Amino acid sequence: MRTITSLSILLIVFLLAGCKTVPVTGRKQLNLVPDFMIRELSFSQYDSVVNYSRTLSQYDERAQMVTRVGMRIQQAVETYMNENKIGKELKNFKWAFNTIDENVVNAWCMPGGKVVVYTGLLPVTQSEEGLAVVMGHEIAHAIARHGNERMSEGLLVNFGGLVLQEALKNKKQETQLLFLALYMVGSNLALSLPNSRMQENEADKLGLIFASMAGYNPDAAIPFWQRMSALNKTKTPEFLSTHPSDETRIRKLTALIPEIKEKYYR
């Protein structure tokens, strides 16, 4: 019992110490991992991916487009953050934009502003505005520190598992395994999946703001996500998905776009 109490107290201390505020939205989030550690890991991983992938030369028109869109969004992010007096959040960003020649419909942004776009995405984005929708979204994840939040949630779930395991140590092994399995499923449905969907919604909104401030028409988001939806051959039920359903995402973006367009489209 004393061990369980000690673990519980330690968990509470971690939660209180790790509660931070998303720099753009003001939402409270869990950040248990120091930012410098996240950046070091992400920069190292980014270099590894770029160095061992077929990266397009900056003389390639596709790479030039990715860099052009990325730099415009970077400038928009810096303007937005400075206007809201939180520009210091970007002081350790080291922006980079690379295009990997691989038939993968994907793009991502590491914490610290390191961006990769795969050439397989470009036929779906179709234009600079479509590409800006994606890059704005991925950069928004980094600005809102979603990577740290997801890693912290994983640490929290694992720590909770240790507490449960200690509480069940005198039970039969079959009972222990059953309860631990139920705990992992329950924590995933109750914490990880809803938070991931919330982060996706947050990145959708922030990404469109950044893209709009960069001069890209936010209306491009709807046809882009419709094209992405057409690519999804199998549909995962939303309550079991880390992302909102295509229909939910498109509905929310449709409602958001008029306000974003009026306030931020430049």
Side-chain angles (χ1 to χ4, degrees), residues 62 65-67 69-70 73 107 117 121-122 125-137 220 224 227:
R62 294 166 296 177
M65 179 175 65
V66 167
T67 300
V69 173
I73 293 178
V117 172
L121 176 69
L122 300 180
T125 58
Q126 293 187 357
S127 66
E128 286 198 23
E129 290 189 327
L131 181 60
V133 170
V134 182
M135 294 183 71
H137 173 96
F224 166 74
R227 292 192 295 272

Side-chain angles (χ1 to χ4, degrees), residues 9-225:
I9 291 173
L10 186 57
L11 177 60
I12 292 171
V13 171
F14 275 144
L15 289 174
L16 291 175
C19 188
K20 300 291 178 65
T21 301
V22 179
V24 177
T25 66
R27 175 178 65 83
K28 296 295 183 182
Q29 67 178 174
L30 190 64
N31 278 176
L32 298 177
V33 186
D35 285 340
F36 79 88
M37 186 178 297
I38 292 284
R39 283 193 303 272
E40 287 181 3
L41 289 170
S42 68
F43 290 172
S44 175
Q45 182 65 25
Y46 185 85
D47 289 342
S48 177
V49 171
V50 169
N51 290 336
Y52 288 95
S53 299
R54 194 164 58 251
T55 307
L56 293 184
S57 162
Q58 288 301 315
Y59 293 105
D60 189 291
E61 290 183 358
R62 294 166 296 177
Q64 290 176 355
M65 179 175 65
V66 167
T67 300
R68 183 167 58 250
V69 173
M71 292 182 68
R72 285 176 62 173
I73 293 178
Q74 173 191 341
Q75 185 177 16
V77 169
E78 291 169 350
T79 299
Y80 182 93
M81 301 289 274
N82 287 328
E83 287 178 351
N84 287 277
K85 297 180 171 47
I86 48 177
K88 63 181 182 180
E89 299 288 343
L90 300 175
K91 66 179 181 179
N92 293 310
F93 269 55
K94 298 186 184 300
W95 297 93
F97 307 98
N98 277 285
T99 309
I100 292 178
D101 191 10
E102 191 172 340
N103 190 26
V104 175
V105 184
N106 197 18
W108 41 266
C109 177
M110 288 282 193
K114 303 284 191 176
V115 179
V116 156
V117 172
Y118 293 88
T119 55
L121 176 69
L122 300 180
V124 186
T125 58
Q126 293 187 357
S127 66
E128 286 198 23
E129 290 189 327
L131 181 60
V133 170
V134 182
M135 294 183 71
H137 173 96
E138 297 303 328
I139 289 170
H141 277 308
I143 298 301
R145 294 197 293 247
H146 289 160
N148 193 323
E149 188 173 17
R150 290 176 185 176
M151 189 178 293
S152 299
E153 288 166 359
L155 291 173
L156 178 61
V157 169
N158 289 336
F159 196 94
L162 290 176
V163 174
L164 181 60
Q165 194 170 30
E166 179 67 23
L168 295 171
K169 68 179 181 181
N170 294 323
K171 303 293 184 181
K172 292 181 179 179
Q173 185 177 13
E174 293 83 357
T175 303
Q176 292 182 32
L177 293 174
L178 175 61
F179 274 88
L180 287 171
L182 289 173
Y183 167 78
M184 293 306 294
V185 172
S187 62
N188 196 37
L189 291 175
L191 176 66
S192 302
L193 293 179
N195 280 0
S196 292
R197 290 194 293 269
M198 177 178 61
Q199 292 160 359
E200 285 297 310
N201 290 330
E202 198 167 58
D204 278 347
K205 180 177 181 178
L206 295 176
L208 269 195
I209 289 174
F210 298 150
S212 297
M213 290 182 64
Y216 296 107
N217 191 336
D219 288 336
I222 302 306
F224 166 74
W225 286 113

